[in-house]
Amino acid sequence: MKDYPSPYEEITYDKVECPEHVKLSVEAARRSLVLLKNENAFLPLDKNKIQTVAVIGPNANSRDALVVRREGAQTPVEY
């Protein structure tokens, strides 16, 4: 079941994963990195103390968004 029709469904992996797009996605990932202040040794989270986690945002309840992020990359990316 899809959340909504996607205009990107017909785009093939050879187009999505062309060298130009892979290079651009690696650069975007580098530029979007955020460093967190680990105040009071909050991180890493202790799974024995955490009972729930809130997932918030437009894709919080989208199975398609979750699955695509797991299956998307077919080609290993060298950094």
Side-chain angles (χ1 to χ4, degrees), residues 45-74:
L45 298 176
D46 184 346
K47 65 181 179 181
N48 296 317
K49 293 180 181 178
I50 305 272
Q51 294 180 1
T52 59
V53 174
V55 179
I56 301 168
N59 292 323
N61 196 26
S62 169
R63 181 156 178 80
D64 283 346
L66 176 66
V67 172
V68 169
R69 283 172 179 69
R70 300 288 188 268
E71 298 173 352
Q74 301 294 315

Side-chain angles (χ1 to χ4, degrees), residues 19-44:
E20 177 186 4
H21 292 166
V22 171
K23 183 178 177 183
L24 181 61
S25 66
V26 169
E27 180 63 22
R30 284 189 179 130
R31 289 181 178 213
S32 65
L33 232 139
V34 175
L35 296 177
L36 301 175
K37 182 178 180 181
N38 194 14
E39 199 167 90
N40 300 321
F42 183 74
L43 300 170

